[in-house]
């Protein structure tokens, strides 16, 4: 029966044993309509395997955000330019469009996503599309659609096509009743923002799909991410990026959090490397599917003092944004990432002095080039 050799285990079972309890499947000789949205509890999905000489075919959603372009650059160096596809609903700048494959992708359009995965033979999916904390609070209904409904589409497609799926989580997945210093991988979470609620939902749904369907789901809880080549994007930790731009351009910085607000942070290079290492880690090394990762923890005052070692004339003032302050006060002060370090060898490279020097070198050189032009 040549047709049956092309079917999934569930379809074979339904054809060969009609009394197995599987949902009825209509089979055509040439095509089979099949979706995890229609699969019963007998379903089993597994990641597509490839030999060491092959490379994964990667799709990155929300690719024009803070992390997508950098991750694509890193993965293209590793797997080849054509094997990593950036996607977003926005038009990319020229340097992104011409640097490698880019396509339009709306995560709320299930059919569009499914066609992209099938037509490009995707094996890894990195799901970066999300509305961040402060932006999400300003538009809860949109955050719910993007962060939750969009995730459901991603999970179903990843399960249906046996993808390895990475969905980032965040310090925002914790709440005021969580232990804050340090915050372990497993504890009470109970966030109070739609962003945090949606990320807890993503963690639990991903782990559910892993245990129920065998989906190769992987997740890292990112701390605040600091990068020089992207502007602040509506997050509560954005002050730690804005201070460098303002310090170089104007010599003055107004912080919207209290000077003693301690939060875990990480330089973007460490974040992207951790993501790749997590995606490449053998499944048998993972004792869990969602890990904390961390590099450093500091306050706005400590960051300002470190910047002033390089730019002593920097003036720092504080005008507290009560919404962002309330969010920050509910988040971890420090992450316990010992499981990531023990299980798959996570180790950060950048501490606070290295972070400050790197950011000032990068932004300062860009500023000097702009002035000469």
């Amino acid at each position: 029966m040549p047709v049956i050799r092309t079917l999934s285990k569930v379809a074979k079972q339904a054809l060969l044993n009609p009394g197995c309890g599987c949902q009825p499947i209509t089979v055509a000789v040439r095509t089979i309509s099949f979706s995890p949205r229609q699969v019963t509890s007998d379903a089993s999905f597994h990641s597509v395997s490839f030999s060491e000489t092959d490379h994964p075919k990667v799709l990155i959603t929300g690719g024009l955000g803070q992390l997508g372009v950098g991750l694509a650059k890193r993965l293209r160096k590793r797997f080849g330019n054509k094997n990593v596809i950036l996607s977003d609903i926005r038009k990319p700048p020229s340097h992104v469009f011409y640097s490698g494959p880019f396509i339009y992708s709306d995560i709320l359009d299930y059919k569009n996503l499914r066609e992209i995965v099938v037509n490009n033979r995707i094996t890894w999916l990195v799901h970066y599309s999300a509305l961040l904390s402060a932006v999400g609070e300003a538009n809860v209904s949109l955050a719910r659609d993007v962060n939750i409904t969009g995730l459901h589409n991603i999970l179903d497609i990843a399960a249906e096509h046996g993808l390895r799926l990475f969905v980032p989580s965040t310090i925002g997945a914790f709440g005021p009743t969580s232990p804050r210093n340090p915050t372990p991988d497993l504890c009470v979470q109970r966030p109070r923002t739609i962003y945090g609620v949606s990320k807890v939902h993503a963690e639990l749904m991903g782990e559910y799909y892993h245990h129920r369907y065998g989906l190769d789901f992987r997740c890292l809880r990112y701390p605040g991410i600091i990068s020089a080549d992207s502007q602040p994007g509506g997050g509560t930790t954005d002050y730690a990026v804005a201070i460098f731009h303002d310090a170089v351009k104007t010599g003055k910085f107004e912080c919207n959090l209290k000077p003693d607000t301690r939060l875990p942070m990480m330089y973007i290079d460490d974040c992207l490397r951790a993501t790749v290492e997590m995606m490449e880690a053998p499944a048998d090394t993972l004792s869990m599917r969602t890990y904390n990762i961390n590099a450093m923890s500091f306050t706005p005052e400590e960051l300002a003092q470190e910047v002033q070692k390089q730019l002593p004339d920097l003036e720092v003032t504080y005008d507290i944004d009560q919404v962002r302050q309330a969010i920050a006060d509910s988040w971890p002060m420090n992450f316990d990432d010992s499981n990531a370090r023990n299980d798959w060898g996570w180790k950060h490279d950048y501490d606070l002095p290295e972070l400050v020097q790197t950011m000032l070198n990068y932004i300062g050189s860009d500023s000097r080039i702009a002035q000469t032009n």
Side-chain angles (χ1 to χ4, degrees):
M1 298 177 67
V3 173
I4 294 179
R5 284 200 298 268
T6 68
L7 303 180
S8 69
K9 292 180 180 179
V10 176
K12 290 179 184 179
Q13 188 176 11
L15 283 174
L16 297 176
N17 183 12
C20 68
C22 297
Q23 182 169 332
I25 297 177
T26 299
V27 180
V29 173
R30 294 182 180 274
T31 60
I32 300 171
S33 178
F34 185 73
S35 168
R37 298 181 181 213
Q38 301 171 332
V39 173
T40 67
S41 60
D42 293 324
S44 178
F45 296 100
H46 302 280
S47 288
V48 175
S49 61
F50 42 86
S51 70
E52 292 182 359
T53 58
D54 293 331
H55 292 311
K57 193 69 178 288
V58 186
L59 174 66
I60 302 173
T61 68
L64 296 182
Q66 181 186 24
L67 302 175
V69 174
L71 183 65
K73 183 177 180 180
R74 184 177 289 260
L75 290 175
R76 285 167 178 165
K77 287 182 179 179
R78 194 169 186 84
F79 300 136
N81 207 55
K82 67 179 182 179
N83 289 318
V84 181
I85 301 174
L86 268 179
S87 71
D88 210 301
I89 59 172
R90 294 177 291 156
K91 183 172 71 174
S94 295
H95 74 277
V96 173
F97 183 77
Y98 291 109
S99 66
F102 181 93
I103 58 178
Y104 172 88
S105 175
D106 180 357
I107 63 166
L108 297 178
D109 186 339
Y110 181 85
K111 184 175 182 292
N112 170 245
L113 274 175
R114 200 163 181 247
E115 288 176 348
I116 291 170
V117 168
V118 171
N119 292 341
N120 294 281
R121 303 182 70 241
I122 299 300
T123 56
W124 286 12
L125 202 166
V126 177
H127 180 49
Y128 274 154
S129 295
L131 263 65
L132 300 182
S133 54
V135 173
E137 289 305 290
N139 195 337
V140 172
S141 61
L142 180 61
R144 186 179 61 234
D145 288 343
V146 173
N147 295 5
I148 296 179
T149 303
L151 169 77
H152 293 172
N153 290 339
I154 292 291
L155 286 169
D156 284 349
I157 289 168
E160 177 183 0
H161 295 285
L163 309 184
R164 180 171 295 180
L165 174 62
F166 178 84
V167 179
S169 189
T170 167
I171 54 175
F174 297 94
T177 57
S178 306
R180 297 187 65 211
N181 191 20
T183 303
D185 285 304
L186 300 176
C187 65
V188 172
Q189 292 183 256
R190 312 293 293 181
R192 290 186 177 176
T193 66
I194 186 61
Y195 177 59
V197 168
S198 69
K199 285 302 183 180
V200 173
H201 179 75
E203 294 176 13
L204 295 178
M205 286 295 290
E207 292 177 13
Y208 172 79
Y209 269 60
H210 170 67
H211 293 296
R212 179 69 178 272
Y213 302 125
L215 174 66
D216 191 354
F217 171 80
R218 301 176 183 220
C219 177
L220 294 176
R221 293 192 187 108
Y222 291 156
I225 304 302
I226 302 172
S227 63
D229 55 359
S230 63
Q231 295 296 321
T236 301
T237 58
D238 278 356
Y239 85 86
V241 176
I243 187 174
F244 294 102
H245 291 279
D246 291 356
V248 170
K249 293 176 182 177
T250 69
K252 298 180 180 180
F253 173 65
E254 184 177 88
C255 183
N256 53 28
L257 295 181
K258 295 177 181 178
D260 61 349
T261 305
R262 183 171 301 279
L263 292 168
M265 300 282 188
M266 179 177 288
Y267 184 56
I268 189 170
D269 283 10
D270 277 339
C271 173
L272 297 178
R273 180 171 55 82
T275 302
V276 175
E277 290 177 2
M278 173 63 162
M279 285 296 281
E280 292 189 315
D284 60 5
T285 67
L286 305 179
S287 65
M288 56 189 66
R289 288 285 155 167
T290 300
Y291 288 88
N292 294 342
I293 54 168
N294 197 22
M296 64 195 89
S297 183
F298 55 74
T299 68
E301 185 176 46
E302 291 169 348
L303 177 59
Q305 290 171 351
E306 194 66 37
V307 174
Q308 286 167 335
K309 291 179 182 179
Q310 306 293 325
L311 299 173
D313 293 333
L314 172 65
E315 298 179 16
V316 179
T317 57
Y318 295 88
D319 183 13
I320 310 306
D321 181 324
Q322 296 302 325
V323 173
R324 295 192 187 211
Q325 186 64 51
I327 293 172
D329 287 343
S330 72
W331 283 358
M333 300 169 67
N334 195 19
F335 257 165
D336 176 1
D337 62 355
S338 56
N339 286 315
R341 294 175 185 268
N342 293 333
D343 286 1
W344 44 275
W346 161 241
K347 183 179 180 182
H348 70 279
D349 288 334
Y350 290 83
D351 288 311
L352 182 56
E354 292 82 8
L355 165 72
V356 169
Q357 189 65 62
T358 301
M359 289 288 289
L360 289 176
N361 288 345
Y362 192 105
I363 294 174
S365 63
D366 275 3
S367 177
R368 288 188 292 272
I369 291 171
Q371 290 172 4
T372 60
N373 289 339

